[in-house]
Amino acid sequence: MESADGTTTLWRPVGPAELDLLRTSGMTAWSPRLPDQPIFYPVLNQDYAEHIAREWNVAASGSGYVTRFNVLTSFARRYPTQQAGGAGHLELWIPAEDVDELNRSIVGPIEIVGEHRGL
C-alpha cells in the first residue's frame, strides 16, 4: 500500500523467536537472515499476514504475530510483487543481502498489529 508521503506499508508475520530479535532492535530493524533463509518476504496486505501467523507460525511455535512497517516506496519498488498461491497472497522477495538496506529504508517503528496463539 503506497502512501502520498513516499512510503509503502508492508506486513510481516513472525514467530516468537523473530519477535524477540525484533524487540532487541527496539522495533526498528529486521535481523539478518540465517543461511537457510535466502530471502526476506514481507507481505502486501494484513489479511495474508494474519493467515500466515495463524496457520503457520502458531503451528510451528505456538504463537504468531503480525507486524506492520513502512519503508520508502523507492526501495519497495525495486522488488517485483510475487504471488504466492491465492490472489491475495502477495509478497516482496527481498534478497537476504539487502536486509541492511531495507532496515535503512524503514520509516518509523515496526508495530505489532496482531497476535495469534494455539489452543
Side-chain angles (χ1 to χ4, degrees):
M1 180 183 336
E2 292 184 7
S3 299
D5 67 358
T7 65
T8 296
T9 302
L10 300 171
W11 291 263
R12 175 140 173 100
V14 299
E18 190 169 11
L19 182 60
D20 287 345
L21 292 171
L22 187 56
R23 285 183 169 143
T24 299
S25 81
M27 301 299 284
T28 60
W30 298 102
S31 61
R33 301 294 85 195
L34 298 172
D36 64 337
Q37 299 172 322
I39 61 171
F40 177 84
Y41 62 95
V43 303
L44 277 61
N45 65 75
Q46 187 169 347
D47 288 343
Y48 181 36
E50 296 280 353
H51 174 79
I52 295 169
R54 192 173 48 251
E55 301 298 323
W56 298 359
N57 295 115
V58 170
S61 57
S63 60
Y65 305 87
V66 176
T67 63
R68 178 179 61 208
F69 62 105
N70 294 314
V71 298
L72 297 173
T73 298
S74 58
F75 176 84
R77 284 186 179 168
R78 291 176 32 194
Y79 304 93
T81 299
Q82 305 290 330
Q83 185 172 343
H89 296 183
L90 304 175
E91 307 173 346
L92 295 183
W93 292 357
I94 300 171
E97 59 268 17
D98 293 355
V99 170
D100 285 341
E101 188 175 355
L102 164 69
N103 287 333
R104 290 190 297 273
S105 299
I106 294 174
V107 177
I110 300 168
E111 304 170 287
I112 301 167
V113 296
E115 180 177 342
H116 301 276
R117 297 197 177 271
L119 299 175

